[in-house]
Amino acid sequence: MKMDHIGIAVANLEEALAIYSRLGFASGQQEIVPAQKVRTAALAIGESNLELLEPMEEDSPVGKFIASRGQGVHHLAFRVDNIEEKLQELHVAGFRLIDRKPRLGAGGARVAFLHPQGTLGTLIELVER
Ligand code: ZN
């Protein structure tokens, strides 16, 4: 697996982009992902990205995350060649899956999340591009 992106929950995308711009990042592609109720911006870092995530509603996964834990690193995303195969493999290995089947993520990728209870508290996303 390769690192695909690191998802970072932010309360305000424009403010976050201003800070990352001052850190030296070029402002990346912005997108709305209705399935996850977020606005995202992808900032290239090597062959992967930082994915800034601003919740569009308080009652959304990222909105609830910010309400309970504040802004910051939200998930790690690993790139896989065949997401169905990997999900099946992890299911058989006993991992708890949030998504049994892939859904549509940013950039038209197919994504699925593993439950953080099985991964030492870190939310992990699988991505097939
Ligand atoms: Zn992600």
Side-chain angles (χ1 to χ4, degrees):
M1 291 195 281
K2 287 184 175 168
M3 193 76 212
D4 188 87
H5 63 268
I6 298 168
I8 300 173
V10 302
N12 182 299
L13 196 56
E14 279 67 37
E15 281 175 17
L17 283 168
I19 289 170
Y20 278 89
S21 156
R22 283 164 53 206
L23 282 170
F25 285 90
S27 70
Q29 177 123 10
Q30 290 189 33
E31 191 179 340
I32 288 172
V33 185
Q36 291 169 44
K37 298 179 187 164
V38 287
R39 285 173 66 214
T40 72
L43 308 178
I45 176 164
E47 287 180 22
S48 48
N49 290 298
L50 296 181
E51 183 182 83
L52 304 178
L53 306 157
E54 179 202 75
M56 295 167 67
E57 294 173 23
E58 278 176 34
D59 187 23
S60 63
V62 177
K64 288 177 190 164
F65 176 90
I66 291 176
S68 69
R69 296 169 67 167
Q71 303 181 81
V73 174
H74 178 261
H75 65 273
L76 302 181
F78 303 127
R79 197 175 311 162
V80 297
D81 293 331
N82 183 327
I83 196 166
E84 272 98 356
E85 206 174 278
K86 193 72 188 175
L87 282 171
Q88 182 58 22
E89 190 185 310
L90 294 174
H91 174 63
V92 169
F95 283 91
R96 263 182 79 186
L97 309 178
I98 292 176
D99 303 300
R100 288 295 304 274
K101 290 191 168 135
R103 49 177 149 144
L104 199 59
R110 300 169 73 221
V111 308
F113 287 89
L114 311 188
H115 200 287
Q117 272 179 9
T119 52
L120 305 172
T122 299
L123 180 61
I124 291 177
E125 176 183 14
L126 303 176
V127 180
E128 181 189 305
R129 294 194 184 276

